[in-house]
Amino acid sequence: MSDWNEKIIAEFRANGGEVGGQFAGAPLLLLHTVGAKSGQPRVNPMMYQKVDGGYAVFASKGGAPTNPDWYHNLLANPKAQAEIGTDTVELVARVAAGDERERIWSAQKAAYPGFADYEQKTTRQIPVVVLEPAP
């Protein structure tokens, strides 16, 4: 895990889910996945959007040409956990498609224009992942 991620995670946990800097005031969660190849637990901080029945997260990777590792981890094992505020919730991931993806993605770009910038930097379609409560 990068030092940058470690600092965000520590700040998030020390402040009940609140962080400063570029994420000040933004909805942030800590996504827990299992490494697709390693089988090791992984934690990634990321912005989310509340959607009907769960949360949407965005595999933007800052507009890089490849999807982030956490996205591949969820494809391999869709069971996940997220720390949201001071709560930890059990979730199941699925990739949004079609109209659902477009609606969620458009709302995210409107609320946080940096995501539109990421989209312009890459030729791939940025995946939108919906995290729903585990049964």
Side-chain angles (χ1 to χ4, degrees), residues 29-121:
L29 60 74
L30 303 182
L31 181 67
H32 295 248
T33 61
V34 174
K37 294 178 185 173
S38 70
Q40 295 300 307
R42 306 287 184 214
V43 180
N44 295 93
M46 65 191 67
M47 287 179 64
Y48 72 91
Q49 179 188 134
K50 187 83 172 95
V51 296
D52 287 343
Y55 311 91
V57 293
F58 308 91
S60 63
K61 198 176 177 183
T66 59
N67 290 321
D69 291 344
W70 64 259
Y71 175 75
H72 298 290
N73 294 346
L74 288 176
L75 293 179
N77 181 1
K79 293 180 181 176
Q81 289 182 324
E83 293 175 56
I84 303 169
T86 57
D87 296 327
T88 300
V89 292
E90 300 286 331
L91 301 162
V92 177
R94 65 177 176 80
V95 179
D99 290 344
E100 179 189 37
R101 181 205 174 273
E102 187 56 37
R103 178 176 36 80
I104 295 168
W105 179 240
S106 292
Q108 187 69 11
K109 291 188 297 182
Y112 298 96
F115 283 87
D117 295 339
Y118 302 153
E119 185 175 53
Q120 294 301 312
K121 291 180 181 178

